[in-house]
Amino acid sequence: MPLDAPIRAEFVALLGDQDVIDDPVRTRTYECDGLTGNRVVPELVLLPRTADDVAGCVRICARHRIPFVARGAGTGLSGGALPVADGVVIGLNRLNRVLEVDPENRRAVLEPGVTNLEITAAAAPHGLYFAPDPSSQQVCTIGGNVAENSGGAHCLKYGFTTNHVLSVEVVLPDGSLVTLGSDSAEQQGPDLRGVFLGSEGTLGVVTKVTVRLLRTPEVMRTLLADFPSVAAGGQVVSDIVAAGIVPAAVEMMDALAIEAAEGATGAGYSLDTPAALVVELDGTVEECDEQFAQVKEICDRHGCTRLHVAGSPAERAKIWRGRKAAFAAVGRISPDYIVQDGVVPRTRLAEVLERIEQMGSEAGLRVANVFHAGDGNLHPLVLFSAAAGETERAEELSSAIAELCVEMGGSLSGEHGIGTDKACSMPKMFGEEDLAVMDRLRSAFDPDRICNPGKLLPTPRLCGEKPGHYRPHPLEEAGLIERL
């Protein structure tokens, strides 16, 4: 139901006319996140400037039972920030201040619109940095990182966002402002901070985050190694970990991903190799020297055809520029593509990549692979042409690949979340009782189901139904379908 003028007037009274957007052209800017195949134009877009503004917006939504979706930079890839047609989007980009950097206690206090890279930039003068670094770190925001429990290349050694967040200030769906967790390392009571991390915006809106900072490593050593097959590269990853080495990052790219990344960045990748690994070690000079020699020996043992060691910070940055640009660069070799995200046990990497190649061949579509090999976090990119009518086939293949990861003993998502993209696949990973527990937890925070509805959890019965109390489907009322 369209929001009427009196409700809009309440938002204007709170924020001012300039920060309440209802122009159809401007609201269309917010119709999707990085999962561009799913689009819904919101009724209103609200642009608060403070935590109190956010709380005020949510209180109005709660009073009128208006669904709302919080949004940062919109870089999510699973539809987690997809608007609701008769609802509002609460944009958080104007809450973008680094409130405090506390070098003595190695922590920083941030508003949710601060980008991931800005955290490290603020900490760097103190010899500190923020470890989780998604590939989109230049633009993705810490609020979104908290919602999705984001990962990145360096999470093999340092963990995900949840391992680096001490506390979050959030606006709950009734408009109350609370702090979950504390600045202390030892926290009392149930870990509600942990419950909120990775809840994909379904439990409330982040308005402040206190993160842990790490000491910048003494040295970093980075190499780029080519292999005659993806299987050989995968075995190198297993052998490195089996040798007791925990690299700061191990990334793999296949031939299609290399072609795209090299064309976009000129990072120095080989265009005639089936697979390449980026391996990075960090720590003390002695530690890195010893482990680096071991890694090179393992690469040679598995038929490495070219090994390039970054000789300077500029060369290291060049290698990473190619890897981090790979997703966007795929647009050079395909008019459309879907970025999928799943996890498999590291020992099954070669097997699952062969299955993906087979599935792509059967679907008549190409699949590029660029991923965090160290923790088995795959990112298959399904290439297709919407103009050629391949969209539905691509979406089916993308979902099938995510469910294959579960079949292989892994997970539907490593870092991008479930969102709307994979909510219907959740029963492939969790039993009915498991999902019911998650649903009850969500209801405890949001009994009226107005906070980012339609994300993360499937409906209790048929995917596509709205969650919550029973409401007859229009087709039921028309006598065309029967509820079992």
Side-chain angles (χ1 to χ4, degrees):
M1 177 183 298
L3 303 182
D4 56 25
I7 294 176
R8 183 186 184 283
E10 288 189 54
F11 288 122
V12 170
L14 175 70
L15 301 177
D17 191 57
Q18 76 280 5
D19 291 336
V20 178
I21 301 173
D22 59 359
D23 176 74
V25 175
R26 295 180 67 196
T27 53
R28 188 169 289 280
T29 304
Y30 298 83
E31 66 180 353
C32 68
D33 58 12
L35 186 70
T36 56
N38 295 0
R39 296 170 185 261
V40 177
V41 180
E43 190 80 8
L44 288 177
V45 175
L46 311 174
L47 300 176
R49 296 171 186 270
T50 67
D52 287 340
D53 285 349
V54 176
C57 292
V58 172
R59 278 196 291 273
I60 295 172
C61 290
R63 190 159 57 247
H64 298 287
R65 296 196 174 185
I66 300 167
F68 62 90
V69 176
R71 175 190 167 109
T75 57
L77 292 166
S78 61
L82 183 71
V84 178
D86 55 354
V88 304
V89 165
I90 301 176
L92 299 170
N93 301 77
R94 291 178 176 174
L95 280 74
N96 58 5
R97 295 176 300 162
V98 176
L99 299 174
E100 179 186 6
V101 175
D102 178 358
E104 289 188 358
N105 292 297
R106 295 189 184 181
R107 63 192 179 205
V109 184
L110 316 151
E111 290 188 321
V114 175
T115 67
N116 183 288
L117 193 58
E118 286 172 340
I119 305 172
T120 287
H126 307 286
L128 302 171
Y129 78 113
F130 183 57
D133 58 343
S135 296
S136 57
Q137 72 174 145
Q138 291 185 341
V139 290
C140 69
T141 59
I142 185 63
N145 292 172
V146 167
E148 302 295 335
N149 188 20
S150 300
H154 294 97
C155 288
L156 170 65
K157 184 170 184 177
Y158 294 106
F160 288 72
T161 300
T162 189
N163 303 112
H164 300 270
V165 170
L166 294 168
S167 68
V168 287
E169 179 189 83
V170 302
V171 175
L172 297 179
D174 65 356
S176 55
L177 191 66
V178 302
T179 298
L180 309 178
S182 75
D183 292 348
S184 167
E186 183 64 30
Q187 307 201 12
Q188 308 301 312
D191 184 13
L192 295 179
R193 178 213 59 91
V195 169
F196 200 88
L197 267 287
S199 61
E200 304 192 16
T202 62
L203 305 183
V205 183
V206 178
T207 51
K208 190 164 65 179
V209 188
T210 301
V211 302
R212 190 192 317 274
L213 302 174
L214 300 184
R215 177 69 62 190
T216 304
E218 185 177 323
V219 294
M220 286 180 280
R221 300 277 168 79
T222 306
L223 67 80
L224 175 64
D226 297 344
F227 294 92
S229 68
V230 171
Q235 192 57 52
V236 166
V237 177
S238 294
D239 284 9
I240 289 174
V241 176
I245 300 169
V246 183
V250 184
E251 302 288 294
M252 184 181 286
M253 303 170 71
D254 70 5
L256 269 178
I258 292 169
E259 176 190 344
E262 182 62 20
T265 66
Y269 296 167
S270 305
L271 291 174
D272 58 352
T273 184
L277 282 179
V278 176
V279 183
E280 183 161 280
L281 302 172
D282 65 7
T284 64
V285 172
E286 294 77 12
E287 181 184 21
C288 282
D289 284 349
E290 180 182 346
Q291 293 185 349
F292 207 76
Q294 288 180 271
V295 169
K296 288 200 287 188
E297 186 277 325
I298 293 170
C299 288
D300 290 340
R301 195 194 318 151
H302 290 284
C304 176
T305 55
R306 174 196 176 225
L307 193 147
H308 170 66
V309 179
S312 67
E315 282 194 22
R316 173 181 176 265
K318 191 175 177 181
I319 290 173
W320 278 112
R321 186 164 62 249
R323 163 59 187 90
K324 294 203 171 191
F327 284 7
V330 166
R332 299 173 67 93
I333 61 172
S334 177
D336 303 286
Y337 62 95
I338 299 171
V339 180
Q340 191 47 277
D341 164 45
V343 178
V344 297
R346 192 169 44 240
T347 53
R348 304 194 74 174
L349 274 175
E351 182 184 358
V352 76
L353 290 170
E354 286 181 8
R355 288 278 298 277
I356 290 173
E357 184 178 6
Q358 179 185 356
M359 293 164 68
S361 178
E362 290 171 355
L365 298 171
R366 295 182 299 168
V367 181
N369 289 284
V370 50
F371 55 96
H372 311 308
D375 52 359
N377 185 186
L378 301 174
H379 291 314
L381 292 93
V382 178
L383 315 188
F384 69 100
S385 168
E390 296 172 345
T391 302
E392 185 175 351
R393 204 161 9 121
E395 290 175 346
E396 290 175 356
L397 175 58
S398 177
S399 295
I401 290 173
E403 293 175 5
L404 171 67
C405 292
V406 177
E407 179 188 325
M408 290 283 183
S411 167
L412 285 171
S413 174
E415 55 177 341
H416 294 173
I418 301 298
T420 55
D421 184 33
K422 289 176 279 190
C424 291
S425 297
M426 285 287 273
K428 299 287 185 182
M429 185 167 178
F430 297 102
E432 190 172 333
E433 292 183 354
D434 303 325
L435 293 170
V437 169
M438 295 183 202
D439 194 58
R440 287 202 297 273
L441 175 65
R442 183 171 179 170
S443 295
F445 281 80
D446 182 23
D448 290 329
R449 310 287 184 148
I450 58 172
C451 186
N452 207 15
K455 316 295 163 53
L456 182 60
L457 294 179
T459 57
R461 289 175 176 271
L462 300 176
C463 196
E465 291 182 336
K466 291 184 177 179
H469 299 299
Y470 167 72
R471 291 173 296 239
H473 190 281
L475 293 178
E476 278 184 87
E477 294 180 318
L480 298 175
I481 63 172
E482 181 182 358
R483 184 172 293 268
L484 301 176

